[in-house]
Amino acid sequence: MHHRQNLVLMGNEAIAYGALTAGLAVASGYPGTPSSEVIDTLLELTASGKINRPYIEWAVNERVAFEICLGASLSGVRSLVTMKGPGLNVASDPLLSSAYSGVEAGMLILVADDPGPYTTQTEQDSRWYGEFAKLPIIEPSDPKEAYEYTILGYELSEKIKLPVIMRTTTRVNHTVSDVKVKEFVEPSYTPSFSKNPKRYLRAVMTWNRERHGEVLEALDKVESLAEEFRLNRVEGLGKLGVVCSGAAYTYVLEVLEKNKLLDKYRILKLGLIHPIPKKIITEFLKEVDSVIVVEEIDPYIEMKLKALAYDEGLQVKIMGRQELFPRVGELTPDDIESVIIGRQFKLNNVALPMRPPPLCPGCPHIGTYMGLKMGISRAGHRWGEIPIMGDIGCYALGLNPPFEAIWTEHSMGASISMAVGLKAAGYPKPVVAVIGDSTFYHSGITSLIEAIHKDVDLLVVIMDNLTVAMTGHQATPEYELSISGRRMKRLDLEKVVRGLGVERIAVVDPYNYRDVSEKVREFIHQPGVKVIISKRACAILEKRAGIGQVCWIDPEKCTNCLACLKLTGCPALSPLEGRVSIIESECVGCTLCMQVCPYNAILVRKIGVAKINV
Amino acid sequence: MYSEYSIVIAGVGGQGGLTLSRVIATAATLSGLSIKTGETLGMAQRGGSVQSYLKIGKIIRSPLIKKGCADALIGLEPLEAVRASSYVGPHTKIVLDPNPIPTIFNLVGKEDYPSIEELLRILKEKTNQFYIIQARREAEKLNARQSANMILLGKLISLDAFLPSEKIEEAIRIVLGEKAGKAIAAFRIGMNL
Ligand code: SF4
Ligand code: SF4
């Protein structure tokens, strides 16, 4: 039965494999780096027919995903919900009640934090949620452990009948490593759901108080279970203590091994973060002369240790991120080496030009921003005078040249509500909010309801590229078919917006950027909420589906004025070797550059047809 | 043989750094070694700075490499190689394609691309094991633009045989499937440069 196989897996793939080995039945989540590949992997395995599970799908947002998984676990099947750190903020409402309802079958909540940060709006440390929501938190240190902890997480969850949070960081989620995996286990169950008012109903306050007590009692059992599962361990016999968790453990071990210092040190590696395992820590603190705490983002373990030492009357010196390490950014083996052996390392001291990713060749957002820019100017305003409230998604890259468009990017859906705030404050000029389709469905829709209801003068541009593009093209409510093969009911964005009561709506194609600009000019001074849906599939998807044409520049006509490049910023336009040309393999034939060339030097060529100058 | 070998791959999103990293990782596993790679993924857009770290050996603890301690830097683009140059020490081998890729700031005329001579000078100062390889040009001769990275890998393997070349060729076949032919040819060209 349980074959072991050695695979090369990314941390997120290992988590997906672990969940399947544990007999996972239901998985949901909302895409967010660095967590997305868990559900992506489960979907791929479903699509390839390697697994068959009742439900693996992306949800409209994290709280909905969370509640789907909670419902599944209450009916006796194992579930997995995944999200990035800020996603857990969105799901925090059901998260906090979930300890009170508890679960029947195991529920694992994967939250992926992003020290650095590399791709996240805040450098959030989600470990604080353990205490806040009264749920256990486990933290693996590499892909192999991520696989094992996923399986253990389900066992722990079922022993105490509470959801378990697994916190990871980018260096676990996106590290690729060799992992030994066992065979997948088919979930064997008949879903059943029985009434249990005290647990599942939060309407009676005495029940809530009672449940609070029961949850705390359940949490008291976690420490000894963690011992049974060997989640925490001590390595070495030295007198210098290091307490660490997550990827930081691997850095510590490496630095000590390489410097041949293992015999001087004693490492306490914590896999259980909440409730903090008091017994093993207290014993550890008694054995060492000093302690360095190495952990990602906040001084969470450090503060716990200090409190514990105080309670136990221990004088041992404890230092960590508050005293020794940089207070922001990702920890590295260099940081640890500089603390442990005082090795200084040099950072680059040359100031180098930044290289943010540009919008892709033929990205529909390019056309929308071109239209917005032109429309605002045709309405009598300067570009840079009208606030454009941005949101989270690819279109946030419109902050870079050539558009330098958006003024804010805050949290999912905030473009519209913050724009309402500007108007509520009496801001005298027109205000524009730009938001993507998936972000709109995720959270923007409630903000739009607010704007409509309060009859705010606001222009909303929904940049509908028919996918969650930035995180790798996951499904939106406009998908008819899931990768899992499930048929879904497609929502129609225009009907949704119209149904909410917006009267001035236009659906335009961003590849005709003048149409966008015309609607912007027409709408921007009109009263109430106006919505422009700028609709065109993500250029990467179009390209995958197969494009019919590309553009090329006729060198005879081109004056090399570079208007095409400066107005579109399209990366398929290459000015190398002194003259601009179009990299044919990159071009998707959107014609936006052609529309702005003052010399008509850009021409369309159907694929498979030779370049002819007509 | 090498008890541990660490490589930084620096380039621009879309240049195939990730595929290169998968090829090396696969070759390492085929050779019975452990690997860990550290990558910053997660943006669909190409064209931004990308760094990958790879460590190969009997036992590998962390996916990250210490500053000044990489055994090799594979530079797919000169500005990005300099950006990763804090990992370069006197013993580090650099194989670099010196052809620049402009940034969006360069393209729209907001900023100039730094002088190539200056970028090469920074790298040269750090190590004298610095090899400039016209990988993209060589690959174009083969009519295999996508295989430029394999030329760089071939060159590196010829300098430091941290993995057997047969295992790399086998890994190329596994990772690239049908497209492996040209990549293997490119790898061999790199070996003989
Ligand atoms: S806008 Fe037209 S004339 Fe100007 S550089 Fe581009 S192709 Fe040439
Ligand atoms: S047609 Fe022009 S703007 Fe569109 S992808 Fe091709 S080069 Fe870029």
Side-chain angles (χ1 to χ4, degrees), chain A residues 553 557-565 580 593 596-599 601-602:
Chain A
I553 298 179
K557 290 189 186 165
C558 174
T559 63
N560 213 31
C561 69
L562 301 185
C564 50
L565 195 57
V580 68
C593 58
V596 296
C597 171
Y599 302 97
I602 303 183

Side-chain angles (χ1 to χ4, degrees), chain A residues 131-367:
Chain A
E131 226 161 325
F132 192 29
K134 303 193 161 60
L135 296 176
I137 295 199
I138 54 177
E139 184 177 23
S141 63
D142 64 6
K144 182 172 154 284
E145 247 181 32
Y147 174 80
E148 290 160 2
Y149 279 27
T150 303
I151 300 169
L152 290 178
Y154 284 105
E155 286 177 33
L156 177 59
S157 172
E158 281 167 15
K159 286 233 157 90
I160 55 168
K161 298 269 183 237
L162 291 178
V164 168
I165 300 173
M166 182 156 85
R167 186 253 194 168
T168 52
T169 56
T170 311
R171 293 299 172 200
V172 173
N173 298 97
H174 283 170
T175 288
V176 173
S177 162
D178 36 330
V179 180
K180 281 196 179 57
V181 300
K182 293 185 217 152
E183 253 170 42
F184 298 157
V185 174
E186 287 284 327
S188 56
Y189 58 87
T190 347
S192 70
F193 182 50
S194 2
K195 271 192 166 180
N196 189 342
K198 190 176 92 177
R199 276 195 37 204
Y200 304 158
L201 271 166
R202 299 275 68 78
V204 178
M205 298 311 123
T206 48
W207 294 347
N208 294 352
R209 194 168 50 241
E210 254 176 70
R211 276 301 291 160
H212 189 179
E214 288 170 13
V215 168
L216 294 178
E217 279 164 28
L219 281 178
D220 288 341
K221 295 187 201 130
V222 174
E223 183 169 342
S224 62
L225 288 169
E227 233 165 85
E228 213 176 281
F229 295 148
R230 299 187 45 77
L231 284 174
N232 311 304
R233 60 172 187 264
V234 178
E235 294 170 10
L237 295 165
K239 281 295 189 190
L240 301 166
V242 180
V243 179
C244 49
S245 73
Y249 161 74
T250 68
Y251 312 155
V252 168
L253 200 57
E254 180 174 291
V255 167
L256 293 179
E257 276 175 359
K258 293 232 163 115
N259 290 292
K260 306 204 166 32
L261 285 169
L262 270 180
D263 55 330
K264 295 205 168 50
Y265 279 83
R266 186 182 300 234
I267 304 172
L268 171 56
K269 193 258 185 204
L270 294 181
L272 178 68
I273 303 300
H274 180 256
I276 198 85
K278 292 187 178 166
K279 199 166 136 244
I280 196 167
I281 293 177
T282 312
E283 280 165 17
F284 184 85
L285 293 180
K286 286 181 183 158
E287 294 294 333
V288 291
D289 298 334
S290 64
V291 175
I292 297 171
V293 185
V294 191
E295 58 188 323
E296 281 300 8
I297 309 185
D298 289 338
Y300 179 85
I301 296 174
E302 180 186 342
M303 286 163 71
K304 288 283 165 194
L305 251 58
K306 284 175 175 168
L308 209 59
Y310 181 85
D311 284 349
E312 298 287 327
L314 299 169
Q315 297 297 322
V316 56
K317 184 82 187 146
I318 299 167
M319 291 193 287
R321 274 204 105 134
Q322 299 191 92
E323 298 86 359
L324 299 174
F325 296 104
R327 289 167 65 190
V328 297
E330 182 184 33
L331 283 181
T332 63
D334 291 303
D335 293 317
I336 291 152
E337 209 169 60
S338 82
V339 165
I340 284 177
I341 61 163
R343 173 188 185 259
Q344 292 305 315
F345 58 92
K346 263 203 266 152
L347 288 169
N348 276 341
N349 43 14
V350 255
L352 292 172
M354 304 257 285
R355 191 192 295 273
L359 289 166
C360 301
C363 172
H365 302 327
I366 292 179

Side-chain angles (χ1 to χ4, degrees), chain A residues 361-362 551 568 570-573 582 586-594 602:
Chain A
C551 284
T568 67
C570 174
L573 290 159
I582 292 175
E586 296 281 314
C587 176
V588 300
C590 73
T591 75
L592 285 166
C593 58
M594 180 175 119
I602 303 183

Side-chain angles (χ1 to χ4, degrees), chain B residues 137-176:
Chain B
R137 295 212 187 135
E138 291 289 331
E140 257 154 41
K141 282 190 213 154
L142 271 183
N143 210 357
R145 223 170 189 259
Q146 273 87 332
S147 297
N149 299 345
M150 298 302 149
I151 296 182
L152 294 173
L153 177 59
K155 179 68 194 176
L156 179 61
I157 291 284
S158 76
L159 299 166
D160 259 352
F162 60 93
L163 284 171
S165 58
E166 321 84 72
K167 296 291 179 197
I168 297 211
E169 295 191 6
E170 197 179 335
I172 294 176
R173 272 183 219 107
I174 293 173
V175 175
L176 293 177

Side-chain angles (χ1 to χ4, degrees), chain A residues 89-158:
Chain A
N89 307 344
V90 175
S92 62
D93 189 6
L95 176 80
L96 265 81
S97 304
S98 70
Y100 286 67
S101 63
V103 291
E104 289 307 319
M107 173 172 176
L108 194 66
I109 303 157
L110 171 74
V111 56
D113 283 341
D114 182 25
Y118 289 97
T119 51
T120 308
Q121 61 265 50
T122 56
E123 215 177 1
Q124 156 174 341
D125 192 331
S126 299
R127 291 178 300 172
W128 300 102
Y129 272 114
E131 226 161 325
F132 192 29
K134 303 193 161 60
L135 296 176
I137 295 199
I138 54 177
E139 184 177 23
S141 63
D142 64 6
K144 182 172 154 284
E145 247 181 32
Y147 174 80
E148 290 160 2
Y149 279 27
T150 303
I151 300 169
L152 290 178
Y154 284 105
E155 286 177 33
L156 177 59
S157 172
E158 281 167 15

Side-chain angles (χ1 to χ4, degrees), chain A residues 413-611:
Chain A
S415 56
I416 299 174
S417 10
M418 285 173 69
V420 171
L422 281 190
K423 295 312 276 184
Y427 189 80
K429 287 185 183 149
V431 177
V432 179
V434 296
I435 183 166
D437 50 329
S438 185
T439 307
F440 175 75
Y441 283 119
H442 177 290
S443 293
I445 189 166
T446 48
S447 308
L448 186 66
I449 289 171
E450 184 68 20
I452 295 167
H453 180 236
K454 300 301 182 309
D455 203 15
V456 179
D457 299 337
L458 178 64
L459 174 60
V460 177
V461 181
I462 305 180
M463 302 168 110
D464 185 4
N465 61 1
L466 305 163
T467 190
V468 191
M470 194 153 211
T471 46
H473 305 97
Q474 289 85 4
T476 72
E478 304 202 8
Y479 274 50
E480 255 170 335
L481 185 65
S482 157
I483 296 172
S484 68
R486 181 182 307 278
R487 293 225 69 82
M488 305 189 285
K489 183 155 170 55
R490 195 178 81 80
L491 268 72
D492 182 322
L493 188 55
E494 186 189 350
K495 279 192 194 150
V496 169
V497 173
R498 210 175 279 287
L500 294 176
V502 177
E503 279 141 27
R504 286 195 183 84
I505 304 179
V507 182
V508 289
D509 178 354
Y511 281 2
N512 301 325
Y513 84 98
R514 285 194 177 83
D515 292 358
V516 182
S517 98
E518 179 47 32
K519 285 295 162 190
V520 170
R521 188 202 56 77
E522 182 191 328
F523 280 179
I524 200 160
H525 290 134
Q526 305 263 16
V529 173
K530 293 83 54 182
V531 175
I532 297 173
I533 300 174
S534 193
K535 184 170 180 171
R536 169 65 76 162
C538 168
I540 298 181
L541 291 185
E542 295 243 299
K543 184 129 193 175
R544 267 186 219 154
I547 48 164
Q549 62 183 35
V550 289
C551 284
W552 63 286
I553 298 179
D554 182 351
E556 303 275 292
K557 290 189 186 165
C558 174
T559 63
N560 213 31
C561 69
L562 301 185
C564 50
L565 195 57
K566 289 185 179 163
L567 293 175
T568 67
C570 174
L573 290 159
S574 157
L576 283 186
E577 280 124 39
R579 280 202 79 85
V580 68
S581 65
I582 292 175
I583 308 168
E584 194 176 304
S585 58
E586 296 281 314
C587 176
V588 300
C590 73
T591 75
L592 285 166
C593 58
M594 180 175 119
Q595 294 170 47
V596 296
C597 171
Y599 302 97
N600 297 322
I602 303 183
L603 303 160
V604 175
R605 181 169 71 80
K606 297 280 168 228
I607 287 192
V609 177
K611 294 178 189 176

Side-chain angles (χ1 to χ4, degrees), chain A residues 383-403:
Chain A
W383 182 245
E385 173 195 346
I386 303 299
I388 298 175
M389 312 298 275
D391 223 302
I392 297 182
C394 295
Y395 42 96
L397 296 174
L399 84 109
N400 294 319
F403 302 111

